Amino acid sequence: MRILIAEDEKDLLCLLKDQLSREGHVIFTAENGEVAWEIFKKEAIDLCILDVMMPVMDGYTLIKKIREKSEVPAIFLTARGDEMDRVMGFALGADDYLVKPFSMIELKARVQVQVRHIQKQRQTYIENNVAQKSLSCGALYLNLDEAICYKNNEPITLSAKEYLLLKLLMENIGHVFTKRQLYNAVWKEDYLYDDNTIMVHLSKLRAKIEEQPKEPEYLVTIRGIGYKLVNPSKAGDKV
């Protein structure tokens, strides 16, 4: 994590930087809220640890400015631990509140809670976007944003129709398509028994995605019916 620490007590600031750096975090430090705000605007900060009572700009003012542009987690450090101070801190957008004096063990534990929360959010975001923007089958990977196919992380050049055929098949792994269904879906025209067009494109597609096109692992023929895409790691799919 990239952590911004704003604390006007120099000894405590150095201690926090040292201890959290040892946990593998990248640390940015500031001795007042104004410097912290300038750092925050320039750097991609993942977590803020903010002292409440600082010169130039206090922690309450700083969190207000941060919340105008970001929902980055923030932990307040303060010598004022009464209920109203904590309520105000949370109301302004703090995610946690630690009263001085505190132990480094407790601070690290609270930081770790925020780190887990951040990582969970990022993983959810990645999973949601990967599901929407890519398709995979065995060693094949289709980047839908860039309309590029990869096999074993190496790009494969496909024509527009080959790409659309593969996309349709990868969206429906294991589903058997007739020639008519493939033609109608990709060419957006009536089939009219145009076997040659389908066969030529499927043959070219096989030549590009298969190690041995005459013994296909991915794009297999279902005799008398049509074609389907299978994951070669799953036994019993090929015909």
Side-chain angles (χ1 to χ4, degrees):
M1 296 290 107
R2 295 164 64 86
I3 301 177
L4 170 61
I5 306 174
E7 169 59 62
D8 66 332
E9 295 181 37
K10 292 184 179 180
D11 290 343
L12 178 56
L13 183 62
C14 291
L15 177 62
L16 293 172
K17 179 180 180 180
D18 177 67
Q19 292 294 312
L20 292 176
S21 294
R22 294 185 183 189
E23 299 292 310
H25 304 297
V26 177
I27 307 300
F28 299 85
T29 61
E31 294 184 15
N32 64 65
E34 188 173 276
V35 173
W37 175 237
E38 292 302 317
I39 293 172
F40 187 85
K41 289 190 294 183
K42 295 176 182 178
E43 302 292 342
I45 301 299
D46 298 308
L47 172 65
C48 296
I49 300 176
L50 312 176
D51 184 24
V52 172
M53 303 304 293
M54 292 184 291
V56 187
M57 182 190 296
D58 64 25
Y60 291 150
T61 303
L62 177 57
I63 194 64
K64 286 180 184 178
K65 296 176 75 68
I66 288 173
R67 285 294 172 258
E68 289 175 357
K69 63 177 298 184
S70 173
E71 292 301 318
V72 62
I75 300 174
F76 268 158
L77 306 179
T78 182
R80 299 170 59 179
D82 61 78
E83 184 178 38
M84 287 308 299
D85 286 325
R86 293 197 300 272
V87 169
M88 180 179 291
F90 287 125
L92 291 174
D95 295 273
D96 203 351
Y97 210 100
L98 196 56
V99 179
K100 300 176 182 177
F102 53 82
S103 72
M104 286 306 305
I105 293 175
E106 182 178 6
L107 175 67
K108 289 179 182 179
R110 290 174 184 261
V111 167
Q112 189 57 38
V113 168
Q114 298 302 323
V115 168
R116 287 198 298 267
H117 182 63
I118 293 166
Q119 291 173 336
K120 184 177 180 180
Q121 286 184 321
R122 288 179 177 175
Q123 185 61 34
T124 299
Y125 176 84
I126 290 170
E127 289 173 355
N128 289 341
N129 281 270
V130 166
Q132 296 171 2
K133 298 182 179 180
S134 68
L135 298 168
S136 63
C137 179
L140 296 177
Y141 175 86
L142 203 61
N143 185 316
L144 301 181
D145 277 346
E146 299 177 356
I148 298 176
C149 178
Y150 297 86
K151 182 177 181 183
N152 295 319
N153 296 320
E154 294 294 327
I156 299 173
T157 302
L158 301 177
S159 69
K161 289 296 190 286
E162 291 165 359
Y163 169 81
L164 291 173
L165 280 169
L166 183 58
K167 179 176 178 290
L168 176 64
L169 292 164
M170 291 183 72
E171 288 173 336
N172 299 275
I173 294 173
H175 179 83
V176 180
F177 288 91
T178 65
K179 294 175 185 176
R180 179 186 295 274
Q181 289 172 328
L182 291 172
Y183 190 90
N184 290 344
V186 173
W187 276 262
K188 307 296 183 182
E189 300 173 359
D190 290 335
Y191 179 54
L192 300 177
Y193 302 100
D194 192 354
D195 279 7
N196 187 59
T197 298
I198 285 289
M199 295 301 295
V200 168
H201 281 82
L202 289 176
S203 177
K204 289 182 177 180
L205 182 57
R206 271 184 174 150
K208 293 177 180 181
I209 67 172
E210 304 283 2
E211 294 295 329
Q212 300 181 51
K214 293 184 179 180
E215 298 180 9
E217 293 184 305
Y218 291 96
L219 182 49
V220 301
T221 302
I222 307 301
R223 294 187 184 91
I225 303 177
Y227 304 87
K228 70 176 179 177
L229 193 75
V230 300
N231 190 327
S233 65
K234 296 181 180 180
D237 279 335
K238 293 192 292 181
V239 175

